[in-house]
Amino acid sequence: MFIDQVKITAKAGRGGDGLVAFRREKFVPLGGPAGGDGGRGGSIILKVDEGLRTLMDFRYKRIFKAASGENGMNKGMTGRGAKDTYISVPPGTTVRRIDDDQLLGDLTEDGQELVVAKGGRGGRGNVHFASPRNPAPEISENGEPGAEVQISLELKLLADVGLIGFPSVGKSTLLSVITSAKPKIGAYHFTTLVPNLGMVSLPDGRSFAAADMPGLIEGAANGVGLGIEFLRHIERTRVLLHLVDMSGVDEQDPFADYEKINAELAKYDPSLLERPQIIVATKMDMPDSAANLTTFKAKLASAKVDAPIFPIAAIAHQGLNELLTATADLLEATPAFPMYTEEAVAAEKHYDYAADSQPGFTIERDPDGVFVITGEKVERLYQMANLDHDDSVMRFARQLRGMGIDEALRAKGATNGDLVQIDEFTFEFVE
């Protein structure tokens, strides 16, 4: 099964907790704090593997979790950091964040990596909190939670040449003859259900990747047939081979078919018509093909279409050398284009990371009269606070006061004894 679109969840590992500990050695009465830091949590990293061709590996596994870091240890020893989790993806994979559709990366080269969820840093041990006023602090931090993100992976095949045309015009037959690919071939529409990719090698040493695009019919750009599923794969091809059936067996007008396919490309992405095209007149070994080709060329001239035409008979291997040589020459003359046009880049969302003037938290009062404080910053502060020691509790209270939460609670009407909740932690407001 060919899978080219999936949604997955990536959850990075949590950092290890810092430790509260003290040196207790003989003849060292004032050993001081000795709690080490926690280790770093593992990250989730996508890595390109050129041996993959589909996203099939994600069919049954959609949730990926990295390991957490080890907790800090005595004698100031830092816990072991967790190993990163690598996920292999095929070249040509586009990665987007689901919640805001932000483009995170475009993975095209073998070995290219993209960190999609960063592991949390380890919490600090009490060795970091010693001061002249408090030489033996019982303060430490819990590990930072790892990032969790839902992302969509979309595969767009990386092929130099794309074979386009109506069903049964001979795309799969041509691909099977010029490459080692073994696509299914049949005398009926929609024999090919998935794109097929193969490498073409010329006698002069040149080579290029070619892919046939299934399911293109009139209305494909609007969801008719299979074309809407695979039109995206044409986006990365540099040269298009437009196959047109000249046999006349189905009593179809070759020129009308040629125009219909171009119209579908224009509906999906007008820039596709700017790609260099070679018209391939197929099935030239049929009785009426020569006459139909003459009529087709006349109509092209009337429409002022200036595109090279190569008549072939793929099964009989007629005209293939000329076609492949011309294709390789056109590829050399066609510069590599950016994966995203200027219009597409302009349409992307841009995020400015300017200093945030907002307080970073919100306060609401629930029906039970409890003041509920929410916000990413304050919730992360709570998750990293070690509330098992009085010194750590007092430090957490100072941090809340420094954020302005005390004043905000008074402004909301909080009085002595009212309950306040942050995440799962509930405490009394004390003046």
Side-chain angles (χ1 to χ4, degrees):
M1 179 177 293
F2 184 87
I3 297 179
D4 58 359
Q5 281 184 310
V6 296
K7 295 179 180 179
I8 65 172
T9 299
K11 182 173 177 55
R14 183 188 184 95
D17 296 340
L19 181 68
V20 173
F22 299 92
R23 291 182 60 188
R24 290 182 174 86
E25 299 180 29
K26 193 174 183 180
F27 307 121
V28 186
L30 300 175
D37 301 340
R40 179 186 62 85
S43 299
I44 303 289
I45 303 175
L46 301 181
K47 186 174 183 178
V48 176
D49 181 353
E50 65 178 2
L52 298 178
R53 282 291 175 262
T54 75
L55 298 174
M56 182 69 178
D57 292 345
F58 299 95
R59 184 180 182 187
Y60 299 110
K61 185 175 182 181
R62 301 289 180 92
I63 300 176
F64 296 85
K65 296 182 179 179
S68 298
E70 288 187 351
N71 295 336
M73 293 170 284
N74 206 345
K75 298 183 180 179
M77 291 188 292
T78 300
R80 185 188 301 273
K83 291 184 178 180
D84 296 328
T85 298
Y86 286 86
I87 305 174
S88 297
V89 296
T93 302
T94 302
V95 187
R96 290 182 180 274
R97 199 161 52 200
I98 292 178
D99 56 357
D100 56 8
D101 200 38
Q102 183 186 3
L103 179 67
L104 300 181
D106 190 14
L107 305 177
T108 58
E109 300 177 2
D110 185 42
Q112 185 178 353
E113 297 181 2
L114 174 66
V115 179
V116 294
K118 188 176 181 179
R121 69 172 179 84
R124 293 178 293 176
N126 66 335
V127 293
H128 294 279
F129 299 99
S131 67
R133 293 182 58 185
N134 188 4
E138 293 187 356
I139 301 174
S140 67
E141 291 177 337
N142 291 334
E144 181 183 27
E148 181 174 355
V149 62
Q150 290 184 320
I151 57 177
S152 64
L153 306 179
E154 183 180 31
L155 173 62
K156 299 177 182 178
L157 289 180
L158 291 178
D160 300 304
V161 176
L163 310 183
I164 61 174
F166 268 80
S168 298
V169 297
K171 298 189 295 295
S172 297
T173 302
L174 177 60
L175 188 71
S176 68
V177 171
I178 63 177
T179 73
S180 298
K182 304 297 181 184
K184 183 179 179 181
I185 301 173
Y188 55 90
H189 281 4
F190 303 124
T191 307
T192 304
L193 298 178
V194 301
N196 294 293
L197 188 68
M199 289 299 299
V200 179
S201 297
L202 275 66
D204 58 9
R206 293 182 294 179
S207 63
F208 57 85
D212 67 332
M213 306 301 171
L216 277 181
I217 62 175
E218 188 175 9
N222 297 324
V224 179
L226 304 176
I228 190 64
E229 295 295 326
F230 305 116
L231 274 169
R232 72 176 68 91
H233 298 294
I234 305 177
E235 294 179 22
R236 296 193 191 273
T237 57
R238 295 164 54 199
V239 171
L240 298 178
L241 298 188
H242 194 150
L243 277 64
V244 183
D245 185 356
M246 293 294 164
S247 66
V249 173
D250 297 330
E251 298 184 355
Q252 289 183 297
D253 182 1
F255 183 73
D257 290 349
Y258 169 78
E259 288 190 317
K260 289 176 183 177
I261 293 297
N262 280 338
E264 293 306 317
L265 297 182
K267 288 180 184 178
Y268 180 76
D269 185 355
S271 66
L272 292 179
L273 293 183
E274 300 175 4
R275 307 284 169 85
Q277 272 196 30
I278 294 178
I279 300 175
V280 183
T282 64
K283 305 182 183 180
M284 292 303 298
D285 51 350
M286 301 297 287
D288 299 328
S289 296
N292 291 334
L293 178 58
T294 301
T295 304
F296 178 75
K297 288 181 176 180
K299 291 183 178 180
L300 281 180
S302 299
K304 297 182 179 180
V305 176
D306 185 18
I309 303 176
F310 287 85
I312 68 166
I315 296 178
H317 289 242
Q318 295 177 5
L320 296 183
N321 291 334
E322 295 81 358
L323 172 63
L324 298 181
T325 301
T327 302
D329 293 341
L330 187 56
L331 277 172
E332 291 180 351
T334 304
F337 55 89
M339 292 302 178
Y340 290 90
T341 62
E342 294 181 2
E343 293 79 5
V345 172
E348 291 290 345
K349 294 183 178 179
H350 297 275
Y351 295 82
D352 295 326
Y353 296 95
D356 192 359
S357 60
Q358 299 298 322
F361 62 87
T362 58
I363 300 176
E364 301 290 341
R365 195 166 191 177
D366 67 11
D368 297 328
V370 179
F371 291 90
V372 180
I373 303 175
T374 56
E376 182 180 355
K377 183 177 180 180
V378 68
E379 290 174 2
R380 186 172 295 268
L381 200 64
Y382 159 70
Q383 292 168 345
M384 296 187 66
N386 182 355
L387 304 182
D388 295 333
H389 301 277
D390 291 341
D391 285 358
S392 295
V393 173
M394 295 303 297
R395 178 174 180 264
F396 180 54
R398 289 193 299 270
Q399 289 174 322
L400 295 182
R401 189 178 301 113
M403 291 180 63
I405 290 180
D406 285 11
E407 295 179 2
L409 284 171
R410 294 189 186 96
K412 287 284 187 178
T415 58
N416 201 36
D418 286 340
L419 295 179
V420 180
Q421 180 178 337
I422 301 176
D423 200 4
E424 299 177 352
F425 180 55
T426 303
F427 57 94
E428 287 187 1
F429 180 73
V430 180
E431 289 284 2

